Amino acid sequence: MYGHIHASALRAIARHRIADHLAQGPRTAHALAAATGLDAAALHRVLRLLATRGLFAEHGDGTFALTEAGHDLRSDTEGSQLPRILLFTDEMFRRAADGIEGTLRTGEPGFDAAYGMPFFDHLAATPDKSHVFDQAMTALTSGADEAVADACPFPESGTVVDIGGGRGGLLRQILTTHPGLNGILFDQPGTLADHLLDGDDLAGRWHTQGGDFFTTAPTGGDLYLLKNVLHDWSDDDCLRILTTVRHAMRPATRLLLVDAVLPGDGTPHPAAALDIVMLMTLKGRERTAAEFEDLLTRSGFRLLRVLPTRALSSVLEAEAV
């Protein structure tokens, strides 16, 4: 019942970059307050609360230090959680969560009721929120990119088509790991404008293509990817996406779905929380392997296997039939 208090305290600490100020070692709340223009007594109390969550260590001399987990709050570290924190503690998600009571009655996202429009329409209308979202998605999935690139059996040559690939973090990792491959990054033009594929190391091995994956997809690829796309959408919308992708593929071409896979037997899984994020903001959901297989079968694919990774997501390998 205190969850929202911890989240609000975390957001405040993240917004004021307190972890960055502790990067060089322990400091008192008074020293931190002097460096950031904050109230020392209030800051001490908030840090003390977050120390109970393992993000900071409170010492007997009145100083606070970063724990191993707390280092992920820094803005200058690889794998920083800061963009994710700033997104998921944003008022967009707080207001959507407040609507869960109504969602239980209607099944409709609380976000739509709070803002009068769907989530992605709101992002399109608010560039600052869209930027926060894009940065958070890059941070959210960056750890999975290496895990997926390592877990999947990629061919030595050919073209990988990343459908809805965002800024291209996964495609970049794949092309870096497998120098015989080329790639196509397919997404909305606005998202592609901020892609991550530039650099001499990948020169001449990729291009971007703008479009809507509900209606079109690049043809002629040797391997297709859908990473963290289907969980954003209802079953009907997923079938539209998968059918569009299938029409672009030759028979026997492989499709790799990268998404969290919920256990079918009720075993606790971290993606259960992400499923509620989907419930309150979108009409998507996290799915079991059996639910993914049903969608794939109905859209012209055969599920071959499910590959776990070191990250939250698994890889479902399918084949066009």
Side-chain angles (χ1 to χ4, degrees):
M1 66 182 177
Y2 290 135
H4 66 289
I5 297 174
H6 291 107
S8 295
L10 177 61
R11 180 176 180 80
I13 291 299
R15 286 290 302 273
H16 290 291
R17 302 295 195 270
I18 298 301
D20 287 355
H21 289 279
L22 288 173
Q24 301 305 315
R27 301 178 72 178
T28 65
H30 280 86
L32 291 168
T36 56
L38 303 177
D39 180 84
L43 179 57
H44 183 277
R45 293 162 71 178
V46 172
L47 288 171
R48 182 171 60 193
L49 171 67
L50 293 178
T52 69
R53 309 294 290 183
L55 297 176
F56 302 96
E58 183 179 10
H59 297 155
D61 61 0
T63 62
F64 289 89
L66 291 175
T67 63
E68 182 178 354
H71 277 282
D72 287 341
L73 303 179
R74 291 170 53 185
S75 64
D76 59 348
T77 59
E78 184 177 356
S80 171
Q81 300 299 305
L82 190 64
R84 296 173 60 184
I85 291 166
L86 294 178
L87 175 67
F88 288 113
T89 61
D90 188 87
E91 54 90 16
M92 294 188 297
F93 287 89
R94 293 200 303 272
R95 290 180 63 183
D98 286 342
I100 289 178
E101 182 180 350
T103 298
L104 290 177
R105 291 192 298 269
T106 67
E108 296 298 314
F111 187 95
D112 294 24
Y115 286 90
M117 66 180 70
F119 178 73
F120 286 119
D121 289 354
H122 178 70
L123 290 185
T126 52
D128 58 328
K129 300 294 186 184
S130 181
H131 179 72
V132 171
F133 178 82
D134 287 343
Q135 293 294 318
M137 290 304 100
T138 298
L140 179 65
T141 61
S142 60
D145 292 342
E146 183 177 351
V148 169
D150 290 343
C152 295
F154 290 95
E156 293 185 3
S157 62
T159 299
V160 177
V161 183
D162 193 354
I163 304 293
R167 300 175 65 205
L170 175 57
L171 185 58
R172 179 175 183 82
Q173 183 67 44
I174 292 169
L175 297 183
T176 300
T177 307
H178 304 277
L181 293 174
N182 296 316
I184 300 173
L185 181 62
F186 181 83
D187 211 311
Q188 299 284 344
T191 299
L192 295 176
D194 196 25
H195 69 75
L196 303 172
L197 299 175
D198 283 327
D200 293 340
D201 54 334
L202 301 182
R205 296 176 52 206
W206 59 270
H207 69 269
T208 62
Q209 181 175 330
D212 180 354
F213 53 42
F214 283 110
T215 59
T216 187
T219 60
D222 299 293
L223 180 71
Y224 285 72
L225 301 173
L226 278 167
K227 175 193 170 191
N228 295 341
V229 170
L230 297 188
H231 77 154
D232 286 340
W233 304 98
S234 68
D235 285 357
D236 287 344
D237 285 336
C238 286
L239 289 172
R240 291 173 58 200
I241 295 168
L242 288 169
T243 300
T244 297
V245 174
R246 173 61 189 88
H247 286 162
M249 299 169 64
R250 299 183 298 268
T253 303
R254 285 189 301 148
L255 169 69
L256 302 182
L257 298 181
V258 181
D259 252 314
V261 178
L262 290 171
D265 59 1
T267 301
H269 192 280
L274 187 57
D275 185 50
I276 301 304
V277 174
M278 298 298 107
L279 177 68
M280 69 192 201
T281 55
L282 300 166
K283 295 187 178 181
R285 60 185 304 157
E286 304 307 318
R287 296 176 171 89
T288 65
E291 290 169 330
F292 276 115
E293 184 171 19
D294 177 64
L295 292 174
L296 288 165
T297 300
R298 293 165 62 190
S299 53
F301 293 93
R302 177 173 59 251
L303 178 63
L304 301 178
R305 56 179 172 167
V306 179
L307 299 168
T309 74
R310 301 188 307 273
L312 176 68
S313 297
S314 295
V315 180
L316 300 100
E317 183 180 4
E319 182 181 65
V321 295

